[in-house]
Amino acid sequence: MSLKMRYYYVVGIWSFCFVLPIMMGCMREEKKSSKDSFEMLYQQMEQASVESPEQVSQMVDSALPSLKDSMMYYRLLFLKVRGYFLSFKLDSASYLLDKVTAFCDRTEKNKDVYQLYALIYNAQGNLFVRTSQIDSASSCFQRAFEYASRGGKRESLPDICLNLADVFVKQGRYDLGSFWYNRSLSISDSLNMPDEQRFPAYYGLAQVNMELRDFALCDYYYDLASHYYDKMHPFEKHIYLNNRGNSYYYRQDYETALGYFRRSLEVVNQYPDMTFERNLTMINLGEIFLMLDCTDSASYYLQECRGFFDSIHHATALYCIDTQLMELALKQGNVALARERLKHAVKYDNVEPNMIHVRNRYLQRYFEKVGDYERAYHYLKENHHIDDSIRNERVKMRAAEIKLKYTQDSTLMKKEISIREKENQVLQLYQWLYMIVGGGFMLAAVVSVIVLYRKRLRDREQWRMQNAITSLRLENVRNRISPHFIFNVLNREMNLHKGEEESQNLIGLTKLIRRNLELTDCLAVSLADELEFVDTYVGLEKESLGKDFDYQLDLDCKIDLKAVKVPSMLLQIPVENAIKHGLRLKEGKRLLRIQVCLLLDNQVEIVVSDNGGGYRKVSVNHGTGTGMKVITQTIQLLNIYNSRPIQMKINNVLVGEEKEMGCEVRFVIPLNYSYQLKKTRKT
């Protein structure tokens, strides 16, 4: 999804969350209209959840309180299930599924409930697939297909057919896998779905033919799917690349297979939530490096993914890893280690035939190595038996395809005849409307072009004016800073007797003036420059504050002060105010402290505090308040163009060991904060 489209999705969905309570209040009067609006916005949220599950989950949380215990409530709750599933939070997804199921069980049955049941069982089946419970997954997908058919929502049937086909392929029942992939395409035809939505069936059929070692037909379907690669979601790209790499693995073209697996790893590494897919790709990389005799690389990838699959008890993956580790020990010449790994390898039920075939091949090699040729011959015969079974599956699949094609052709022929009869009946009725409708469309198009053109001109002029106003406003607020402290220090220093220390003060003052002019031209400066400016300023004021003045600077060593950007004069003004209004006339110990630390959420916290009696509207050295107004207005202006704002707080706090009342100015600045006044504002 493009950034522009994602923007429109988010704006539309947030608007939905805002108007949903109003829409619910009007449900009695316009029930059908409200339901249609909900369906449209629900579909938008459903599509956006694939790209931004966390953001959609937050939107759902904001909308749920206004819905209470209703069908809309639990349909939105199901979107959180999708988000948890994509983020591999399977326990949370299962918990919410139980809540949605309980609602359906206690609700009077109708089409809406059947549709929700279809979503529930489809999601439950996917959870079982992730945990290698293939038989349970197959049962759930079949119930999902039944409920979707009864609920009248045929748009969801192609996806359910694909899920059923996938589990049958995992069980080695390739004829049924091929049947359900073709069933998905048949239903897509009846719904007039565009070709670009059918590629999962294409790479599914490619997978079936790969298992049957019909690589010519396998490549034919993969090439069909590859035309839509750019339109695939990330997890679909992973499936395509991973399975196509497997097809070259079975052809023993390991270099080509390695290229596809590396592309798959590049895709999933861009999405931290795709943990399962990342570790699955590592298993395949480990196998390929074994075949290429790159034992170090194979060992690295197998060790990287073993812990993850142990944590989720994924039987099929662990079976595959145990097999590869045994072969790795043989390739390293360590027969004893291979024997130990074989001894502790766990045998799992319902493992895919290809996995068994690979393990049998490795076991054959192992027993040849140890001289047990009788058992080596046993595993060789086992693999021949598996090959014979696959050939039988190929025959059954061909028969199923012929039957499906005949049924599909007959149905389509009857449907085409009926459609043509209806078309002939209504053709004459609508011919006279074509000219009126065409003229109306042309008029609407002309009006739309004129309106859009004028709107674009207005937007361009509005942006130009806004940009000019923004620049003038910023320049104005920044130029309002009065350099009175600089002139006070200059007068005092020039009236004193000349000496070494006084010369240093004049040098520091000159540096301060020059630096102040440089910083005034900048909208943002590095934190290092801002702290250097403040340090120079405090050094000039130390003499007037006396020996009881204590200046502390506490910096987090994890922060690169030159890399962190802050608004110009962010610290200068609070420090000046602290000295002028709080510390200058205070008796006793005077404390000024600046703390800079790194927060966990990629933000920097800066705190300026003093023990000068706290913030008060009126002080002896009262000013105009211009400095803090500049800071506030600058931050407000910049926050318009950032999704994460700079936060500023001013509080009276107890400071120092004596717990004296003082003032604290606290800033929280995101590390990726932008200081560009650009046209696109935060969304």
Side-chain angles (χ1 to χ4, degrees), residues 144-156:
F145 185 87
E146 176 187 349
Y147 277 116
S149 301
R150 293 168 65 183
K153 190 176 182 181
R154 291 176 55 81
E155 292 80 4
S156 62

Side-chain angles (χ1 to χ4, degrees), residues 593-645:
R593 185 179 187 186
I594 298 177
Q595 298 169 282
V596 181
C597 64
L598 182 65
L599 303 182
L600 295 178
D601 53 349
N602 288 329
Q603 297 188 109
V604 173
E605 183 183 68
I606 305 174
V607 180
V608 179
S609 58
D610 65 81
N611 65 342
Y615 173 79
R616 48 195 182 275
K617 294 184 178 180
V618 179
S619 69
V620 175
N621 292 323
H622 64 85
T624 63
T626 299
M628 293 310 294
K629 287 180 181 178
V630 168
I631 290 294
T632 302
Q633 292 178 8
T634 301
I635 290 175
Q636 289 174 349
L637 198 59
L638 291 170
N639 281 347
I640 294 175
Y641 299 92
N642 287 274
S643 57
R644 297 182 71 188

